[in-house]
Amino acid sequence: MSVRVKKLVGTLVIVAFLTVYCLAVMVFAVRLLPGTGGWTQLGFYSVTGLICVVPVGALIKWMHQPA
C-alpha cells in the first residue's frame, strides 16, 4: 500500500474514531459528572482528552511509514 493511500485510509479512520470516541466520552460525562465540582470535570476531560492521543498517534506513525 502506498503512503498516499495509507494517508487517505488513516485520515478516514481517525475522523471516524474521534467521532465515536467523543460521543462515548460525552455519554460517560453525562452519566458520571452531574453534581461534581469543576476540578473533577477538568480532570475527567483532561484525562479522556489525552487518552485518544495514543491510538491516533500510533495511526499517524503507521501512515508515515514507507510502503
Side-chain angles (χ1 to χ4, degrees), residues 24-37 40-41 44 48:
V25 167
M26 285 189 283
V27 167
F28 284 120
V30 167
R31 293 178 188 223
L32 297 175
L33 295 179
T36 61
T40 304
Q41 293 177 13
F44 175 80
T48 56

Side-chain angles (χ1 to χ4, degrees), residues 6-21:
K6 286 169 92 173
K7 286 183 180 183
L8 174 64
V9 171
T11 301
L12 295 175
V13 170
I14 288 172
V15 169
F17 168 74
L18 287 177
T19 302
V20 172
Y21 182 78

